[in-house]
């Protein structure tokens, strides 16, 4: 096959929002989205429509450029783009002309048949982070990846691809940061210097346009903010979904589901959510209830509700081929299923047997699918778990000619999961009125944060998986997915009691805290591990509930800026080599204040890298100087968690579920530092969309060591806090008069001296 290297420019002109550049092999279109975001779309044949599953913003209407003999020059306030004319190359610089990212001078963008690849210059000290749910190390230098959403049963620490596609990475070199998002759902490739002799980095896809967004903001948080501005941010999640979630494949009957919920309440172990995996259905038919084992779903739901439990039910895309089954009949009648080019419906085998698959790429199919959730919402279900949407069928190999929307399978496979999650979200959002649905999906493409949370699929019950799962969560956070979780305990296999205890303690600091296990495994609920372990797990879950005011405020940050709760240390310290050291690469900040060090269950002490600053151990207040590797005790009762000095953490007293109002007291924990500290506190009803029209409660909390004062700004928003009082809890302040004082919460400015 001949390789076509994009040749010299033949001409260029402004056309609508784009600068259109004609070269021998292709046409390039350049768009500006903001001073720090420039889009390049290279194509041999641009389509008439410009659609994206991910991007929700529009380019600026026009922009200035000029030319020299060698270059077309485009400047924004933050970036310089130099487009080399002969041959066509795209090079990005900072406003003060430092190279950020440049085409490989020799090759630039090339085509081999429909496959398009861009070769880029690799900088000697360049590191890479991102790509979302990808195994491997935090620093992706010298590795390569493929995006092709796959039901990655039994995946290991090196398996690629997994379930999701997030073609966004961040490059770090010379003290500079940049980001690159290849918005192309075809099978795609990223190589971060894995090529022999580290000659280049490269990215591209099997087909479609070389359509990429270049981000030039300085600082990883700024890049995440820009990427999530472009692809959207999550809504506020239902507060109940941040509580403890108990899942299993499967609780086999309504009686068993209720028994699980009752046991949590009896044992006073807080929890908010229980799940129904595939066995609640009649013959695995989506949107049905098993007539024998779940005979009275409404009665079950009423009982669950009375105990303050929410139920999440699973749905798979495969619709059983069975005349008389409503979804099958409707789907056939209206042509809602994916077909072969001759119009015949594609058939695959999954749990129900022979199935057809909804074509979620069509508006009317998504609407139909969304409306069908009535069978679940009408009895009171408000959480919806989307599984098998890579899409997966036994054998996995869907023929490449199967059509979705107006495309063939390989052109859009990577976006199928997102389109299913979107249909689920949009449908249930309508059905639930003003209530927030909780949607959880396994497969996803960039932008899924607008519709759904994600989990990392079928992991295993080993220490290695606990650690790699944390890296997946941290990496998903870089690519806009702030609401993420792993199967705590590991999906397959049986964890040791020690691992189960350790993993639950890490779950406290995971955006979604969900326990799940494969069919046939030993039961996993907190009381299955002996009474001593039960007490430890209970304490950990209680810790989660204490931290909910802090966690919810953290989700508000994700909603407003895209910053995830679980943050690799590389976000704040991109040029600190120790952060990428494989000994410390799993460490992360959980929100602004907490540094968490995951530790295997077999090790009872750990080396922890504390970045510059002062730190306190959360559970003992022991003080540490940062910029140090410290060896600390890591008993199963106390995962190494540190608080950054100067942090403010709002906490509440233990409740059994998020529906409980508790005792009205919001604790304000402050860890002393010489520098002032601030925290944005956010609260709303946790259930409805009223926050979007002003019904929230938000205030800045600060402390100033020089003036010895703690202050709260006046409360913004029309919501009334559920807390009436605040209690100051001061750590590391030495002898002060107000150590545990309680104050009435006022809405105006509050100043408290200490
Ligand atoms: O073929 O619904 O990843 O969480 O329990 C397995 C049964 C299908 C895979 C999911 C897992 C779920 C399981 N599902």
């Amino acid at each position: 096959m001949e390789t076509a290297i994009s040749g010299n420019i033949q001409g260029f002109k402004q056309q609508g929002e784009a600068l259109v550049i004609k070269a021998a092999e292709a046409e390039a279109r350049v768009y500006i989205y903001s001073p720090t975001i420039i889009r390049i779309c290279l194509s041999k044949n641009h389509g008439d429509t410009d659609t994206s599953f991910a991007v929700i913003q529009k380019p600026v209407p026009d922009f200035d450029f000029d030319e020299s003999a060698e270059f077309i020059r485009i400047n924004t306030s933050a970036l310089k783009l130099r487009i080399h004319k002969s041959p066509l190359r795209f090079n990005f610089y900072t406003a003060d002309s430092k190279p950020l990212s440049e085409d490989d001078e020799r090759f630039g963008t090339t085509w081999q048949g429909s496959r398009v690849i861009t070769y880029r210059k690799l900088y000697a000290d360049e590191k890479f982070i991102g790509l979302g749910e990808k195994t491997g190390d935090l620093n992706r230098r010298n590795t390569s990846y493929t995006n092709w959403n796959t039901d990655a049963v039994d995946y290991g620490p090196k398996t690629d691809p997994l379930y999701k596609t997030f073609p966004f990475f961040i490059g770090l070199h010379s003290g500079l940061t940049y980001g690159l998002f290849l918005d192309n759902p075809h099978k795609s490739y990223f190589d971060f210097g894995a090529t022999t002799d580290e000659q280049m980095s490269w990215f591209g896809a099997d087909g479609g346009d070389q359509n990429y967004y270049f981000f030039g903001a300085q600082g990883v948080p700024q890049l995440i903010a820009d990427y999530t501005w472009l692809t959207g941010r999550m809504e506020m999640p239902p507060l109940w979904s941040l509580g403890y979630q108990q899942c299993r494949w499967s609780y086999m009957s309504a009686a068993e589901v209720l028994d699980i919920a009752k046991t949590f309440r009896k044992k006073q172990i807080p929890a908010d959510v229980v799940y129904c995996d595939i066995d609640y259905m009649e013959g695995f038919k989506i949107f049905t209830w098993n007539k024998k084992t779940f005979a009275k779903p409404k009665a079950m739901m009423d009982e669950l509700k009375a105990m303050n439990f929410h139920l999440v039910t699973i749905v798979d895309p495969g619709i059983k081929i069975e005349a008389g089954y409503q979804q099958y009949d409707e789907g056939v009648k209206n042509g809602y299923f994916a077909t072969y080019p001759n119009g015949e419906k594609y058939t695959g085998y999954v749990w129900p047997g022979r199935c057809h698959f909804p074509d979620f790429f069509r508006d009317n199919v998504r609407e139909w699918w969304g409306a069908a959730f009535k069978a679940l919402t009408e009895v009171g279900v408000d959480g919806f778990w989307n599984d098998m949407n890579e899409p997966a069928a036994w054998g996995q190999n869907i023929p490449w000619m199967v059509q979705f929307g107006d495309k063939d399978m390989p052109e859009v496979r990577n976006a199928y999961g997102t389109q299913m999650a979107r249909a689920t979200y949009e449908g249930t959002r309508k059905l639930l009125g003003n209530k927030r649905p909780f949607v959880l999906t396994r497969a996803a493409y960039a932008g899924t944060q607008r519709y759904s949370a994600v989990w990392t699929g079928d992991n295993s019950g080993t220490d290695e998986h606990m650690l790699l799962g944390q890296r997946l969560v941290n990496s998903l956070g870089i690519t806009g997915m702030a609401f993420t979780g792993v199967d705590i305990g590991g999906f397959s296999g049986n964890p040791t009691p020690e691992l189960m205890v350790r993993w639950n303690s890490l779950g406290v600091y995971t955006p979604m805290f969900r326990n799940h296990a494969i069919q046939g495994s030993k039961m996993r609920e907190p009381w299955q591990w002996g009474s001593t372990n039960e007490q430890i797990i209970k304490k950990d879950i209680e810790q989660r509930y204490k931290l909910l005011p802090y966690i919810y405020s953290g989700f508000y940050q994700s909603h407003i800026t895209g910053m995830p709760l679980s943050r690799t240390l590389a976000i704040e310290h991109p040029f600190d080599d120790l952060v990428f050291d494989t000994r410390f690469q799993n460490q992360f900040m959980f929100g602004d204040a907490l540094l968490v060090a995951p530790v295997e269950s077999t090790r009872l002490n750990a080396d922890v890298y504390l970045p510059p600053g002062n730190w306190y151990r959360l559970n003992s207040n022991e003080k540490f100087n940062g910029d140090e590797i410290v060896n600390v005790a890591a008993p199963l009762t106390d995962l190494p968690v540190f608080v950054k000095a100067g942090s403010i953490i709002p906490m509440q007293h233990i409740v059994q579920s998020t529906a409980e109002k508790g005792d009205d007291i919001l604790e304000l924990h402050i860890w002393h530092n010489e520098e002032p500290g601030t925290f944005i506190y956010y609260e709303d009803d946790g259930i409805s969309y009223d926050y979007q029209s002003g019904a929230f409660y938000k205030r800045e909390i600060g402390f100033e060591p020089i003036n010895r004062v703690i202050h709260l700004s006046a409360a913004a928003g029309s919501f009334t806090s559920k807390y009436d009082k605040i209690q100051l809890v001061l750590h590391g302040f030495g002898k002060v008069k107000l150590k545990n004082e309680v104050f009435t919460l006022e809405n105006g400015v509050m100043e408290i001296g200490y």
Side-chain angles (χ1 to χ4, degrees), residues 22 25-29 41-49 111 113-114 207-210:
K22 284 221 183 318
E25 286 302 329
E27 186 180 287
R29 296 183 180 174
C41 186
L42 287 134
S43 180
K44 286 180 161 185
N45 48 342
H46 286 277
D48 306 330
T49 50
W111 281 265
S114 64
D209 301 340
Q210 192 68 330

Side-chain angles (χ1 to χ4, degrees), residues 107-238:
F107 308 118
T109 297
T110 67
W111 281 265
Q112 290 165 295
S114 64
R115 175 173 293 152
V116 57
I117 304 284
T118 296
Y119 296 91
R120 310 280 292 176
K121 183 167 170 178
L122 183 66
Y123 301 92
D125 68 335
E126 194 164 15
K127 292 189 174 75
F128 300 89
I129 57 174
L131 290 194
E133 188 191 67
K134 291 293 183 192
T135 54
D137 290 328
L138 169 61
N139 179 9
R140 306 208 178 280
R141 173 80 181 236
N142 299 340
T143 59
S144 65
Y145 292 95
T146 301
N147 290 310
W148 186 246
N149 290 0
T150 300
D151 178 2
V153 181
D154 283 332
Y155 70 84
K158 295 213 164 115
T159 306
D160 183 65
L162 301 184
Y163 307 86
K164 305 176 183 67
T165 294
F166 294 96
F168 172 63
F169 71 86
I170 289 173
L172 309 165
H173 69 88
S174 324
L176 300 169
T177 63
Y178 72 89
L180 196 146
F181 170 42
L182 174 64
D183 188 12
N184 180 338
H186 288 69
K187 191 177 213 172
S188 59
Y189 308 91
F190 287 80
D191 182 304
F192 300 111
T195 307
T196 317
D197 290 344
E198 302 195 316
Q199 294 172 28
M200 56 187 61
S201 71
W202 51 272
F203 64 87
D206 272 357
D209 301 340
Q210 192 68 330
N211 175 34
Y212 67 89
Y213 293 78
F214 182 83
F215 300 84
Q218 290 311 298
V220 179
Q222 290 77 358
L223 291 168
I224 293 174
D226 273 359
Y227 172 75
T228 55
W229 172 79
L230 190 73
T231 61
R233 297 183 179 127
M234 65 178 292
E235 295 184 331
M236 286 307 293

Side-chain angles (χ1 to χ4, degrees), residues 391-602:
W394 301 157
Q396 304 224 20
N397 216 6
I398 296 177
W400 284 42
M401 64 185 159
V402 171
Q403 299 196 308
F404 292 101
D406 57 359
K407 302 275 196 312
D408 296 339
M409 183 277 288
E411 301 177 82
V412 289
R413 177 187 180 93
N414 288 337
Y416 188 84
T418 294
Q419 292 301 93
M420 178 179 174
R422 175 182 171 191
T424 304
Y425 163 78
E426 286 171 350
T428 56
R429 179 154 180 194
K430 267 187 221 151
L431 286 166
L432 292 175
N434 193 26
K435 270 200 316 183
R436 304 175 200 168
F438 169 67
V439 181
L440 178 64
T441 181
R442 192 171 72 175
Y445 181 73
T448 300
Q449 65 271 17
R450 303 199 300 274
Y451 314 118
S452 181
V454 295
W455 94 106
T456 60
D458 298 347
N459 61 354
S460 306
T462 64
D463 281 293
E464 186 179 48
H465 265 270
M466 177 178 67
L467 299 185
L468 82 85
Q470 189 59 52
R471 286 202 297 289
L472 296 179
V473 164
N474 295 349
S475 182
L476 281 161
I478 296 170
T479 50
M481 298 307 303
F483 199 5
T484 54
V486 305
D487 288 355
I488 286 169
F491 178 69
S492 21
N494 288 306
T496 62
E498 292 76 19
L499 177 57
M500 199 59 201
V501 167
R502 181 69 103 206
W503 211 329
N504 269 296
S505 70
L506 185 57
V508 176
Y509 307 100
T510 304
M512 184 180 76
F513 188 1
R514 187 184 80 136
N515 232 286
H516 183 43
I518 193 173
Q519 194 180 39
S521 60
K522 290 195 197 133
M523 299 304 279
R524 290 275 180 87
E525 297 72 24
W527 50 88
Q528 304 288 354
W529 306 95
S531 61
T532 310
N533 289 331
E534 179 183 325
Q535 288 316 308
I536 304 173
I537 296 171
K538 174 176 165 155
K539 254 190 110 186
D540 280 322
I541 296 176
E542 288 174 348
Q543 171 75 352
R544 172 78 175 197
Y545 279 78
K546 287 189 201 167
L547 282 171
L548 279 175
Y550 171 74
I551 292 172
Y552 199 64
S553 297
F555 272 98
Y556 176 70
Q557 270 185 38
S558 305
H559 167 59
I560 293 295
T561 70
M563 188 63 127
L565 251 283
S566 293
R567 307 171 187 169
T568 158
L569 298 186
I571 291 179
E572 235 186 302
H573 308 280
F575 302 107
D576 182 340
D577 283 341
L578 280 176
V579 159
F580 300 90
D581 188 311
T582 50
R583 288 174 297 166
F584 310 118
Q585 64 173 349
N586 306 318
Q587 290 180 203
F588 61 103
M589 294 298 293
F590 188 66
D592 294 337
L594 296 172
L595 183 149
V596 182
V599 181
E600 291 98 321
S601 60
T602 49

